[in-house]
Amino acid sequence: MASSRTIIIAGAGIGGLVAALALAKKGFRVTLFEQSPRLEETGAGIQLSPNATRVLIALGLGEALKPHIVAPEDIRVRKASSARELLRVPLGQSAELRYGAPYWVIHRGDLQTVLLEAAGANPDIALALGAKVEDYAAHANGVTAQTRRGTQVADEHGIALIGADGLWSTIRARLGDDTPPSFQRRTAWRALVPAEAVPAEFRGPSVNLWLGRNAHLVHYPVKAGALINIVAIVRDGSAEPGWNNAGARQEILARFSSWSWAEPARAVLAAPQQWAKWALYDRPPLSKWGEGPVTLLGDAAHPMLPFLAQGAAIAIEDAAVLAEYLGHSADSPAKAMRSYERARRRRAARVQHAARRNDKRFHVWGAEAIIRNLALRLMGGEYLLKRHDWLYGWQPDRAR
């Protein structure tokens, strides 16, 4: 592959890896720089709604992913204090027929492994670990990225640079937005347990969502049903740096006390002996994602709070759309990137806003919670799914 077709990607997370695969499919050579010295099988579960799975399947990854996924039959929303079911949102075959693509849940490590194996098998993709893109310079022939590996500094040349380097993006700061992300006064606790460690009613292929006062709980099976992924989100006054800090079991159980959380929910929370936690941060929508042959993708452009389960999905969408535009305008990467940004900015902002709105809806209490719960029961699962058509029914080819 000619060097004049090389695209540099800063960050080998989900968005960066999917972008590399999509760009290689369009005939580009891709070099990924990832600052972590190794990509470990860590993290929590991920919900891959149809807007994301259709992209992964189109990239030929469906068969490799199937041994790892669970296809939930529904989302079950419960009242935390009583365990009463408020509604069920149908997924499974019903959602696949509606949207033309399945709804899956998977462990982040399994998704990352499949993406890495696909990238490693592609001769047009090179991955450099322990190397960070620290700066760049755009010029008439493209862009030169300054990379650092330990004490060694080197230059990488390409026709374009994609900043897929996450919430604390160096490329975003280099583009002019060095305002730090803001702590949202919430902390997410996560754990994985063997399926047999939770009550039998919670081992099946369902996403379970419990709504409580200033807290909510989500759990669903991953690892083809062998493990249960548990995420508990609580209000917090201070942020602890990092996203994989150890959390004390006694603390999380105290946060979900028996006076406000039903015993079945507490049984799920009592199953893990070890917890990890991370503080939730956010950033407002950007009016400018890039300049020249440089743009942003995924959390670097639009970090998503987890209340709509769309962080990975929207990064995957970004990757597909950016590859499509660059494939059609390979001789003018800057033009392609501006077109990509125009195609993505409004949708990404809408999803960010919807996630923030769910934050408020999930955590109300008192009279507001009574009104919310009544509205959910009256609405019903079928109608609630229909209200997500704009999100789940997204098609890559419509972006252009």
Side-chain angles (χ1 to χ4, degrees):
M1 183 69 66
S3 60
S4 62
R5 297 276 290 184
T6 297
I7 294 177
I8 304 164
I9 299 179
I14 290 170
L17 286 168
V18 174
L21 292 168
L23 287 164
K25 192 174 180 180
K26 294 292 184 181
F28 294 97
R29 183 181 182 278
V30 182
T31 303
L32 286 140
F33 291 93
E34 169 55 49
Q35 64 179 330
S36 299
R38 65 185 64 85
L39 293 175
E40 299 175 319
E41 190 176 313
T42 59
I46 295 176
Q47 298 184 52
L48 294 173
S49 46
N51 48 312
T53 58
R54 74 174 79 257
V55 174
L56 299 175
I57 291 169
L59 287 172
L61 302 173
E63 291 305 312
L65 289 168
K66 280 182 180 178
H68 307 288
I69 62 98
V70 172
E73 295 175 357
D74 49 36
I75 299 172
R76 303 184 182 190
V77 184
R78 290 182 170 88
K79 182 180 177 181
S81 60
S82 66
R84 179 181 179 182
E85 190 173 287
L86 300 173
L87 86 167
R88 292 190 186 189
V89 180
L91 296 177
Q93 188 177 16
S94 175
E96 185 166 359
L97 288 172
R98 185 180 189 92
Y99 301 117
Y103 195 114
W104 291 340
V105 292
I106 190 170
H107 188 273
R108 178 181 289 271
D110 290 335
L111 175 57
Q112 180 176 276
T113 296
V114 169
L115 294 173
L116 279 170
E117 289 176 351
N122 193 311
D124 289 326
I125 299 176
L127 172 61
L129 295 175
K132 180 181 179 181
V133 177
E134 291 191 326
D135 204 350
Y136 69 85
H139 45 74
N141 296 320
V143 63
T144 298
Q146 183 185 82
T147 66
R148 178 180 295 275
R149 180 179 285 172
T151 59
Q152 295 182 334
V153 177
D155 289 341
E156 180 76 14
H157 306 286
I159 63 169
L161 168 65
I162 300 168
D165 49 346
L167 175 69
W168 303 89
S169 171
T170 298
I171 306 303
R172 178 169 174 151
R174 179 64 180 78
L175 283 164
D177 182 17
D178 57 2
T179 306
S182 59
F183 175 51
Q184 296 301 295
R185 303 184 66 82
R186 299 209 182 276
T187 298
W189 294 62
R190 59 181 171 81
L192 286 167
V193 296
E196 57 269 22
V198 304
E201 63 182 307
F202 301 131
R203 300 172 194 169
S206 293
V207 175
N208 296 274
L209 169 61
W210 301 72
L211 303 179
R213 177 175 176 173
N214 273 326
H216 80 272
L217 170 66
V218 179
H219 54 92
Y220 51 81
V222 293
K223 297 279 184 181
L227 299 180
I228 303 297
N229 177 68
I230 306 171
V231 180
I233 296 183
V234 298
R235 187 168 180 81
D236 222 335
S238 60
E240 189 174 344
W243 85 294
N244 201 31
N245 300 301
R249 181 172 181 267
Q250 296 83 355
E251 181 183 349
I252 192 63
L253 289 176
R255 296 287 194 101
F256 290 79
S257 63
S258 58
W259 71 268
S260 58
W261 284 80
E263 185 53 36
R266 286 177 50 80
V268 172
L269 289 161
Q273 296 301 310
Q274 294 182 324
W275 288 86
K277 60 180 182 177
W278 78 98
L280 301 184
Y281 287 83
D282 198 11
R283 283 178 134 162
L286 272 175
S287 59
K288 176 185 174 184
W289 287 17
E291 61 182 12
V294 181
T295 196
L296 301 174
L297 181 151
D299 281 352
H302 46 68
M304 299 282 170
L305 291 172
F307 308 117
L308 198 59
Q310 286 294 306
I314 300 304
I316 290 168
E317 285 187 18
D318 286 349
V321 175
L322 180 53
E324 188 69 19
Y325 275 106
L326 282 167
H328 280 272
S329 301
D331 294 334
S332 183
K335 178 182 176 182
M337 288 178 163
R338 299 299 85 75
S339 297
Y340 150 76
E341 292 159 10
R342 286 192 295 271
R344 296 299 298 161
R345 213 163 28 228
R346 183 177 296 179
R347 177 169 171 84
R350 183 180 182 184
V351 179
Q352 282 182 296
H353 178 71
R356 295 185 190 112
R357 192 167 59 239
N358 273 357
D359 180 9
K360 295 177 181 178
R361 289 172 175 167
F362 284 5
H363 302 123
V364 296
W365 56 283
E368 288 183 286
I370 292 171
I371 294 170
R372 177 204 61 201
N373 295 346
L374 177 60
L376 287 173
R377 288 197 297 270
L378 293 174
M379 186 184 304
E382 290 279 358
Y383 181 72
L384 186 58
L385 182 64
K386 183 179 179 180
R387 289 185 61 177
H388 286 78
D389 284 353
W390 68 272
L391 182 59
Y392 300 158
W394 175 88
Q395 300 276 355
D397 56 345
R398 293 177 189 167
R400 295 191 72 253

